[in-house]
């Protein structure tokens, strides 16, 4: 992929993108820079500022300085700016989609039609929720009481490399709506679309310091960011291993921390299910090269429908087209980075060596493409069953009855999501209640009401995003209590 660079900028997919930080309403450079490659062909498309402790301190202090003014706008004043930003996102879909496709190889058509618009919807949703918030009033023990939300203060938001623009807005939008200035640290493998967001926030009229983008390597600038004493909230999406380090740093400063930390979701198919729909959805778990934390990567199918399910599933997988994410025919894109390719292939090679049955796939293709892969594990304790691969690799197991299905579904340390296919409402309720996960879908997938809580249990996360749950996280709650008859 052809790309041109100049001091502080790169031209990516025909779009000019700043490669510097955005701090206090200005572009800030760093002497050190890191390469960003495109998964499409492995070429270098940008050299991005690599911040450290100095830049982290600048960003947090800028957010801290902006906090009183941002809080004083109130929910209505902040909502007007958030709606303006949402409108600008919708007006720049082609620009954002082109940059993100080049940056992390998500399917261009999906970005254009769905993903970028969802980011705009996040800003609108939280703007409206914050305005609609009703303080709780009640009378007790001779006093009138009211619970009020207060903006917590500067928030650090650390986001993953998959769908970086949209996923960052899950956190940025409630933080800003609640009155917290944000320091965003995007993942170094796909930082460019979040840099565009900084430009759009400036165009929308955000006061300096309210929204900051801090570029760099996680071990350097990310570590300095989460340890900063002026931060009041930290939100992270990524691996449990990294989350443990962030959680410790936040705890030292008594800063509340929330984390969404990946999954190993079960996709449970009962004999009374619509097998065509279930198999099609299972084959669809290879979308985005399996780089989706919510994916149902463990196929759990009732014994009695094993063969008809597999026949339909394999037929669906055979229809996948692996290739350039800019082409409309492509359904499975390249993996994000050579290091991630090695990680995914490492899981596959270890599974083969351990005696897990490779049913299909398991081969590298051109560049960063990897075949859709299915294993039938030798044991439920196999690594390929128990650990998140985050690639186009699924496992297949069968069960006899509901009890065994539930036991298998709950047999990993993860608990982010689950999928159930059944035509029985009673079974949907029983199994849905029993599956240990933050969200369970029945006969559907990736349909999410933004007012609902979102997060994981076990090592899949801590805390909840979504709706008022997110607004409460970015707020300090205060009770105002007034003695009856003492005021007029």
């Amino acid at each position: 992929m052809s790309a041109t660079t100049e001091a502080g900028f790169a031209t990516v997919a025909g779009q000019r993108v700043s490669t510097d930080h955005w701090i206090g309403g200005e572009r800030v450079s760093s002497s050190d820079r890191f390469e960003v490659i495109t998964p499409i062909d492995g070429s270098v498309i940008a050299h991005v500022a690599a911040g450290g402790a100095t830049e982290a301190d600048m960003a947090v202090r800028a957010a801290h300085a902006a906090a009183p003014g941002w809080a004083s706008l109130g929910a209505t004043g902040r909502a007007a700016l958030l709606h303006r930003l949402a409108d600008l996102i919708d007006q720049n879909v082609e620009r954002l989609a082109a940059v993100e496709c080049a940056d992390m190889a998500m399917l261009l058509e999906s970005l254009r039609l769905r993903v970028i618009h969802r980011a705009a919807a996040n800003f609108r949703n939280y703007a409206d929720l914050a305005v609609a918030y009703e303080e709780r009033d009640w009378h007790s023990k001779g006093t009138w009481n009211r619970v009020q939300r207060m903006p917590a203060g500067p928030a650090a938001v650390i986001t993953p490399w998959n769908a970086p623009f949209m996923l960052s807005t899950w956190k940025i939008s409630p933080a800003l709506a609640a009155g917290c200035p944000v320091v965003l640290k995007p993942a170094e493998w796909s930082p460019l679309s979040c840099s565009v967001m900084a430009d759009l926030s400036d165009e929308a009229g955000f006061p300096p310091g309210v929204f900051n983008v801090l570029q760099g390597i996680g071990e350097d600038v990310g570590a300095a960011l989460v340890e900063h004493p002026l931060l009041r909230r930290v939100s992270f999406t990524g691996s449990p291993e990294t989350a443990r380090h962030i959680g410790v740093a936040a705890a030292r400063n008594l800063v509340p921390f929330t984390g969404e930390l990946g999954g190993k979701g079960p996709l449970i198919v009962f004999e009374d299910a619509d097998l065509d729909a279930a198999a099609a959805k299972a084959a669809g778990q290879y979308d985005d090269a399996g780089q989706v934390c919510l994916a149902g990567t463990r196929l759990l199918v009732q014994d009695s429908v094993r063969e008809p399910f597999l026949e339909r599933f394999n037929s669906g997988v055979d229809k996948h087209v692996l290739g350039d994410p800019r082409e409309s025919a492509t359904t499975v894109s390249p993996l994000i980075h050579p290091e991630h390719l090695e990680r995914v292939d490492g899981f596959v090679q270890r599974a083969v060596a351990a005696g897990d049955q490779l049913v299909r796939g398991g081969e590298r293709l051109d560049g960063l493409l990897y075949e859709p892969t299915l294993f039938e594990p030798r044991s439920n304790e196999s690594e390929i069953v128990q650990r998140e691969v985050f690639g186009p690799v699924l496992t297949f197991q069968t069960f006899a009855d509901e009890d065994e299905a539930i036991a298998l579904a709950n047999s990993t340390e993860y608990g982010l999501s689950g999928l159930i296919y059944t035509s029985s409402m009673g079974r949907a309720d029983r199994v849905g209640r029993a599956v240990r996960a933050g969200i369970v879908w029945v006969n559907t997938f990736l349909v999410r009401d933004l007012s609902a809580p979102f997060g994981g249990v076990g090592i899949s996360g801590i805390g909840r995003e979504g709706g008022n749950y997110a607004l409460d996280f970015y707020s300090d709650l205060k009770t105002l209590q007034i003695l009856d008859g003492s005021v007029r």
Side-chain angles (χ1 to χ4, degrees):
M1 169 177 276
S2 62
T4 59
T5 61
E6 58 182 290
F9 290 93
T11 300
V12 179
Q15 307 298 321
R16 193 167 185 259
V17 182
S18 174
T19 54
D20 286 336
H21 315 284
W22 177 253
I23 298 175
E26 297 180 349
R27 288 294 177 180
V28 175
S29 188
S30 294
S31 56
D32 294 333
R33 306 189 83 81
F34 63 93
E35 289 184 345
V36 175
I37 68 166
T38 174
I40 295 174
D41 61 13
S43 62
V44 175
I45 57 172
H47 295 84
V48 176
T54 298
E55 291 85 353
D57 181 65
M58 291 174 60
V60 176
R61 290 188 182 279
H64 179 72
W70 188 240
S72 71
L73 286 178
T76 301
R78 294 190 294 268
L81 290 170
L82 294 177
H83 275 282
R84 197 175 303 163
L85 177 56
D87 291 343
L88 287 170
I89 290 170
D90 279 338
Q91 292 165 23
N92 284 270
V93 165
E94 291 299 319
R95 176 187 179 192
L96 290 162
V99 171
E100 187 139 307
C101 178
D103 206 10
M104 64 82 52
M106 179 176 279
L107 298 178
L108 182 59
E109 188 171 74
S110 178
L111 287 163
R112 284 172 168 167
L113 298 179
R114 178 176 56 86
V115 177
I116 303 300
H117 289 296
R118 173 63 179 273
N122 286 338
F123 282 107
R124 293 191 181 98
N125 177 74
Y126 282 106
D128 293 344
L129 276 176
V131 169
Y133 173 68
E134 295 183 4
E135 297 175 334
R136 180 190 169 204
D137 295 331
W138 76 100
H139 189 268
S140 173
K141 298 181 180 180
T143 63
W144 174 83
N145 302 264
R146 168 169 286 174
V147 174
Q148 300 173 325
R149 278 183 181 153
M150 301 182 296
V157 169
I158 304 170
T159 52
W161 45 257
N162 60 317
F165 189 87
M166 189 274 287
L167 291 183
S168 72
T169 67
W170 280 11
K171 301 174 184 293
I172 296 166
S173 52
L176 292 175
C180 297
V182 168
V183 179
L184 169 65
K185 161 58 178 78
E188 55 264 30
W189 283 354
S190 55
L192 299 177
S193 58
C194 288
S195 182
V196 178
M197 194 190 307
D199 295 332
L200 298 181
S201 73
D202 187 43
E203 187 177 346
F206 278 50
V210 166
F211 178 60
N212 307 273
V213 178
L214 187 61
Q215 304 284 15
I217 307 302
E219 293 85 346
D220 300 327
V221 72
L225 173 61
V226 298
E227 292 172 354
H228 202 287
L230 291 179
L231 277 183
R232 299 315 309 147
R233 292 293 186 272
V234 176
S235 186
F236 168 73
T237 296
S239 72
E241 293 75 21
T242 302
R244 290 185 177 101
H245 294 293
I246 293 174
V248 168
R252 288 195 188 102
N253 292 322
L254 298 179
V255 173
F257 162 63
T258 185
E260 191 266 278
L261 310 177
K264 193 73 178 176
L267 193 161
I268 309 168
V269 182
F270 287 98
E271 60 188 0
D272 64 347
D274 179 338
L275 289 186
D276 290 330
K281 193 61 67 178
Q285 303 307 294
Y286 293 117
D287 289 354
D288 294 322
Q291 299 170 135
V292 179
C293 59
L294 290 163
T297 58
R298 293 182 292 136
L299 308 183
L300 307 178
V301 178
Q302 197 155 17
D303 289 327
S304 56
V305 291
R306 169 194 170 95
E307 296 308 322
F309 173 85
L310 279 176
E311 180 181 354
R312 289 166 171 80
F313 170 77
N314 283 316
S315 176
V317 178
D318 289 342
K319 294 175 183 176
H320 275 305
V321 177
L322 283 68
D324 190 324
R326 297 167 296 184
E327 300 294 332
S328 60
T330 299
T331 60
V332 176
S333 51
L335 293 168
I336 179 72
H337 194 275
E339 286 183 26
H340 191 55
L341 173 65
E342 293 298 329
R343 182 180 183 274
V344 170
D345 191 52
F347 272 104
V348 171
Q349 299 310 318
R350 289 193 300 275
V352 170
D356 297 312
Q357 182 182 352
L358 180 61
V359 178
R360 66 176 299 152
E363 296 290 336
R364 303 181 190 215
L365 301 176
D366 292 340
L368 296 176
L369 292 170
Y370 204 90
E371 281 188 319
T373 298
L374 181 69
F375 276 98
E376 191 158 357
R378 73 192 189 289
S379 164
N380 191 57
E381 301 308 310
S382 294
E383 180 193 48
I384 203 70
V385 176
Q386 293 295 320
R387 309 312 303 172
E388 184 180 39
V389 179
F390 215 62
V393 180
L394 309 181
T395 59
F396 177 83
Q397 297 166 273
T398 58
F399 61 85
D401 53 29
E402 283 185 20
D403 289 342
E404 187 177 8
I406 292 166
L408 287 170
N410 293 339
S411 66
T412 76
E413 294 183 278
Y414 298 90
L416 185 61
S417 65
L419 292 81
I420 301 168
Y421 275 82
T422 178
S423 61
S424 165
M425 184 61 202
R427 174 172 282 159
D429 184 62
R430 288 191 303 273
V431 180
R433 288 176 180 271
V435 170
R436 190 168 174 269
I439 185 168
V440 176
W441 286 284
V442 179
N443 300 330
T444 188
F445 181 52
L446 285 184
V447 177
R448 183 174 162 233
D449 185 330
L450 294 179
S451 67
F454 175 77
V457 300
I459 66 169
S460 281
I462 180 170
R464 288 294 181 269
E465 300 174 355
N468 284 323
Y469 306 91
L471 292 173
D472 284 345
F473 171 73
Y474 291 107
S475 304
D476 288 322
L477 300 181
K478 173 174 64 180
T479 301
L480 178 67
Q481 193 170 31
I482 302 174
L483 180 66
D484 284 352
S486 65
V487 297
R488 301 188 183 187

